[in-house]
Amino acid sequence: MPADPLHRAGTPKRSTTSQPPSGSGASAIEVRRSSRRRRTVSAYREGDRTVVLIPARMSEAEEQRWVTVMLDKLAAQESKRVLGDDELAERAERLSAQYFDGRARPASVRWVTNQNTRWGSCTPSEGSIRLSHRLQGMPEYVVDYVLVHELAHLLVPGHGPRFWRLLEAYPRTERARGYLEGVVAAERLPHVPGARGE
């Protein structure tokens, strides 16, 4: 691993690694404390790990708060980048390996613009998965949830107990479902004339 330019030799620091809170897009979080860092906090992805850099003087409570803030900021930045069909297929392959031991193998995964009432669909007999373009720009964990949902249909076509047991493997299922329910509810709100941005 390359040396951290913020931590020169002899600079005291403490590094801790933990599992991420529900909703983050990484498998582990490493917090690096630096006595040279006074006020600023930053974060970046390093493989499947998120590294958060904080001042050494921060309390445990401040550390937890800043980790959550930085995870949300990274997720927001990443969600602005729209995945192409090839990247979507690669993501589906990684999710299948992570949650289903690679057993769910779609023949195709692509964005479509003709799904306005469903977030995703799957045709198990063809091995095809389609995601609604309305998901583009949503947080990574939401897109991942829809992909995992459709991948599970390649293994169990219906929505019976076996299907829902498969989905329990994805730790952010409830959070993602809540997000999507919020989007649907917001779309049903009455139009307010003169609202900002009009």
Side-chain angles (χ1 to χ4, degrees):
M1 186 167 86
D4 183 349
L6 296 171
H7 301 116
R8 295 186 184 166
T11 303
K13 66 178 180 178
R14 188 185 65 150
S15 179
T16 57
T17 302
S18 63
Q19 291 305 309
S22 175
S24 72
S27 63
I29 299 161
E30 182 179 342
V31 177
R32 295 181 187 165
R33 290 177 172 260
S34 168
S35 57
R36 294 172 100 34
R37 197 173 270 268
R38 296 286 176 230
R39 285 188 289 249
T40 60
V41 176
S42 62
Y44 60 91
R45 303 279 195 215
E46 192 174 79
D48 66 348
R49 175 183 305 273
T50 301
V51 178
V52 181
L53 307 169
I54 65 172
R57 63 170 177 70
M58 276 193 180
S59 69
E60 293 295 320
E62 288 174 308
E63 175 182 315
Q64 288 177 6
R65 183 176 69 82
W66 275 106
V67 165
T68 301
V69 166
M70 297 313 289
L71 287 173
D72 288 346
K73 279 189 175 187
L74 283 174
Q77 289 169 356
E78 290 165 352
S79 72
K80 289 178 183 170
R81 193 174 76 82
V82 176
L83 300 174
D85 288 349
D86 289 343
E87 292 170 303
L88 200 60
E90 288 170 14
R91 187 179 209 99
E93 188 178 325
R94 281 195 309 272
L95 291 167
S96 175
Q98 186 172 359
Y99 297 109
F100 305 128
D101 298 321
R103 292 178 296 130
R105 295 185 184 145
S108 67
V109 183
R110 62 190 174 93
W111 296 107
V112 293
T113 57
N114 62 351
Q115 285 188 162
N116 294 316
T117 58
R118 291 192 285 178
W119 297 112
S121 62
C122 174
T123 307
S125 61
E126 298 173 1
S128 62
I129 292 176
R130 296 160 303 281
L131 263 56
S132 171
H133 73 286
R134 297 183 309 137
L135 288 165
Q136 293 174 339
M138 288 189 187
E140 202 173 79
Y141 72 93
V142 176
V143 176
D144 284 355
Y145 163 71
V146 177
L147 273 173
V148 168
H149 184 108
E150 301 310 332
L151 285 166
H153 278 309
L154 292 175
L155 303 174
V156 179
H159 285 104
R162 258 184 76 223
F163 173 83
W164 294 111
R165 276 196 301 277
L166 276 177
L167 272 193
E168 287 173 5
Y170 184 66
R172 295 174 284 280
T173 292
E174 289 308 311
R175 184 173 178 185
R177 286 175 60 123
Y179 184 98
L180 293 171
E181 287 170 7
V183 169
V184 171
E187 288 172 351
R188 292 184 183 145
L189 290 173
H191 175 72
V192 181
R196 223 180 335 171
E198 292 184 10

